[in-house]
Amino acid sequence: MTASTRKLPTARDKLIDAAMSVIRAKGYAATSVDELCAAAGVTKGAFFHHFPSKDSLAVAATGHWSEMSEAMFGAAAYQRLDDPLDRILGYLDLRRAMLRGPVAEFTCLAGTMVQEVYGTHPEIRRACGASIGGHAAGLQRDIALAMKRHRIRASWTADSLALHTQVVLQGAFILAKAKGETAVAEASVDHLRRYIELLFRRPAKAAKRKS
Amino acid sequence: MTASTRKLPTARDKLIDAAMSVIRAKGYAATSVDELCAAAGVTKGAFFHHFPSKDSLAVAATGHWSEMSEAMFGAAAYQRLDDPLDRILGYLDLRRAMLRGPVAEFTCLAGTMVQEVYGTHPEIRRACGASIGGHAAGLQRDIALAMKRHRIRASWTADSLALHTQVVLQGAFILAKAKGETAVAEASVDHLRRYIELLFRRPAKAAKRKS
DNA sequence: CACTACGTACCAACTGGTCGGTATGTAGTC
DNA sequence: GACTACATACCGACCAGTTGGTACGTAGTG
């Protein structure tokens, strides 16, 4: 666990990495254990040494996914902004900017998996739910702060708006997959940003700065 | 093709029906041909008599899905409203009301499938894209009409807003699956409705009618 | 020696798909 | 109306390849 212990990635690490990318590209059920092993450069024996089942790798990968994204959004520049509303908008701008390159590389592991396994693999479903819910919880805090700071009294809750951002992102991934193109996703994040600006009565920064 | 010809459902019909429900419940890859046959009460011979492959059943089922939803939303009461904006809001109210019962019964076949097959089964992806896109096209028309009628000049397009509604619905399905509960989905549709009311400067009908 | 971290060989169950066959039409011809 | 020719709809045994998972061996380390 010390810094000196940070050596070459173990078979476990490589399997988790492989799971995160292969499952996002092909879905959970269509990804075989053999394929995971091949992608990780590891044998089947190693697989079942570290994980009792394919399902348990999925759960572990989801946990790692949560940690990774927590770390990356926690370290993002927008977190240092003073106004919580600015942090929320900064979050959306970052998410929008991330919609680049191959679809499999910006989509969400939890959202992809839960879609197929929600009714058949309860443990994976729980892990995915926790991943998405945990991420939303971070946003919820800033939304609640922003509501206080900007004196917003509303019929909606900070919690529901935080979850709504995740709804939009997950939906944007699906449409991007269906259309094979990211423009839809970007436009949807724009709509979400506009909605939040309207809710907080913040004038949108003039689209085409005319005087 | 005459009315008298409308007899018992053929093996083909039963397989398409089975595909629509089983795939939404378990995902595409996890659904086997044998399972589809069992659910349809049909033999494997019948399956491959009507469909050259499992994939082609998926494509056919997606087509049927589009027809069914076109028929059902086309016949909905809100379509007879005069103001296109009312039709849009009526659509959202209907979609919200549909979020009832088991998750597999209100989620979207196309959205579920495209999530797993977008990178591996191009024909199914196309069919799903067409299904979602076609549905959005119907909304786009009303949104464009509403923009004219209500003199909306905006930086966003009718098309992008129509797609955004689909983004929100698809995302709502994912969150509902992740949380195993429909409240999130309902709340998200509420947020979408509120957004559209704000865009069209229509005062939300007072949440708790206080004079 | 015990323990962890793998590698190799293997298995029963299941996978999508094939194939030879049958039962029931239906159209054409004399 | 009887006979042929062909099509449609369906059956179920079968197949080769793949599946998740197991059993057991071994190399390194303290």
Side-chain angles (χ1 to χ4, degrees):
Chain A
M1 300 291 178
T2 70
S4 70
T5 320
R6 191 178 306 274
K7 298 211 166 164
L8 295 173
T10 125
R12 188 171 201 279
D13 301 332
K14 288 191 280 183
L15 280 165
I16 287 179
D17 275 357
M20 291 196 303
S21 55
V22 180
I23 292 174
R24 279 191 292 161
K26 316 193 22 173
Y28 178 69
T31 300
S32 73
V33 173
D34 281 338
E35 205 169 350
L36 256 2
C37 292
V42 147
T43 63
K44 226 166 173 180
F47 186 111
F48 286 99
H49 171 70
H50 291 287
F51 304 99
S53 68
K54 184 188 168 190
D55 287 14
S56 89
L57 169 58
V59 172
T62 308
H64 186 68
W65 175 263
S66 301
E67 284 169 30
M68 269 183 53
S69 69
E70 196 180 339
M72 105 139 241
F73 289 107
Y78 69 77
Q79 295 284 7
R80 265 162 285 152
L81 298 174
D82 180 60
D83 187 336
L85 178 55
D86 287 330
R87 292 199 293 273
I88 297 163
L89 298 175
Y91 167 77
L92 291 181
D93 292 340
L94 175 54
R95 300 250 33 172
R96 189 187 193 283
M98 284 168 63
L99 301 172
R100 290 278 156 210
V103 175
E105 283 169 33
F106 63 73
T107 49
C108 170
L109 176 69
T112 301
M113 274 200 298
V114 81
Q115 180 92 290
E116 12 173 358
V117 306
Y118 73 99
T120 47
H121 298 69
E123 293 188 10
I124 303 180
R125 204 223 75 213
R126 252 190 302 278
C128 294
S131 177
I132 298 175
H135 188 68
L139 288 165
Q140 187 269 344
R141 279 188 284 276
D142 272 344
I143 294 174
L145 289 172
M147 288 174 77
K148 234 176 201 166
R149 174 115 144 201
H150 295 267
R151 317 263 151 103
I152 302 292
R153 277 193 150 266
S155 55
W156 46 272
T157 65
D159 196 51
S160 85
L161 184 56
L163 288 168
H164 183 61
T165 64
Q166 300 309 296
V167 161
V168 171
L169 288 167
Q170 297 291 347
F173 295 153
I174 291 195
L175 271 280
K177 286 175 177 178
K179 301 209 130 203
E181 163 234 337
T182 63
V184 220
E186 291 170 12
S188 242
V189 175
D190 289 342
H191 279 293
L192 175 58
R193 194 188 206 280
R194 190 175 299 112
Y195 175 50
I196 292 179
E197 286 169 343
L198 286 167
L199 287 181
F200 284 88
R201 296 183 213 106
R202 160 163 307 196
K205 50 184 174 189
K208 288 177 185 173
R209 198 156 13 132
K210 270 187 187 171
S211 95
Chain B
M1 302 291 178
T2 70
S4 70
T5 320
R6 190 178 306 275
K7 298 211 168 165
L8 296 172
T10 119
R12 189 171 199 279
D13 301 331
K14 289 191 281 184
L15 280 165
I16 287 179
D17 275 358
M20 290 195 304
S21 55
V22 181
I23 293 174
R24 279 190 292 161
K26 316 191 24 171
Y28 177 69
T31 300
S32 74
V33 173
D34 282 339
E35 206 168 352
L36 255 3
C37 292
V42 148
T43 63
K44 222 165 175 182
F47 186 111
F48 286 100
H49 170 70
H50 291 287
F51 305 99
S53 68
K54 184 188 168 189
D55 287 15
S56 89
L57 169 59
V59 172
T62 308
H64 186 68
W65 175 263
S66 300
E67 284 170 28
M68 268 183 52
S69 70
E70 195 179 339
M72 105 140 242
F73 288 108
Y78 69 78
Q79 295 286 6
R80 265 162 284 154
L81 297 174
D82 180 61
D83 187 336
L85 178 55
D86 287 331
R87 292 200 293 274
I88 297 163
L89 297 175
Y91 168 78
L92 291 180
D93 292 340
L94 175 54
R95 299 250 34 173
R96 189 188 193 281
M98 285 168 63
L99 302 172
R100 289 278 155 211
V103 175
E105 282 168 32
F106 62 74
T107 48
C108 171
L109 177 69
T112 300
M113 274 200 297
V114 80
Q115 180 92 291
E116 10 173 0
V117 306
Y118 73 99
T120 46
H121 298 69
E123 294 189 8
I124 302 181
R125 205 224 74 213
R126 251 191 302 280
C128 294
S131 178
I132 298 174
H135 188 69
L139 288 166
Q140 187 270 342
R141 278 188 286 274
D142 272 343
I143 294 175
L145 289 173
M147 288 174 77
K148 234 177 203 166
R149 174 115 143 200
H150 295 267
R151 318 263 151 105
I152 302 293
R153 278 193 148 268
S155 55
W156 46 272
T157 65
D159 197 51
S160 85
L161 184 57
L163 288 168
H164 183 61
T165 64
Q166 299 309 296
V167 160
V168 171
L169 288 167
Q170 297 291 347
F173 295 153
I174 291 195
L175 271 279
K177 286 175 177 178
K179 302 208 130 205
E181 162 233 339
T182 63
V184 220
E186 291 170 12
S188 241
V189 175
D190 290 341
H191 279 294
L192 175 58
R193 194 188 206 279
R194 189 175 300 113
Y195 175 50
I196 293 180
E197 286 170 342
L198 285 168
L199 287 181
F200 284 88
R201 295 181 213 108
R202 161 163 307 197
K205 49 184 173 186
K208 290 178 185 173
R209 198 157 10 134
K210 272 187 189 173
S211 89

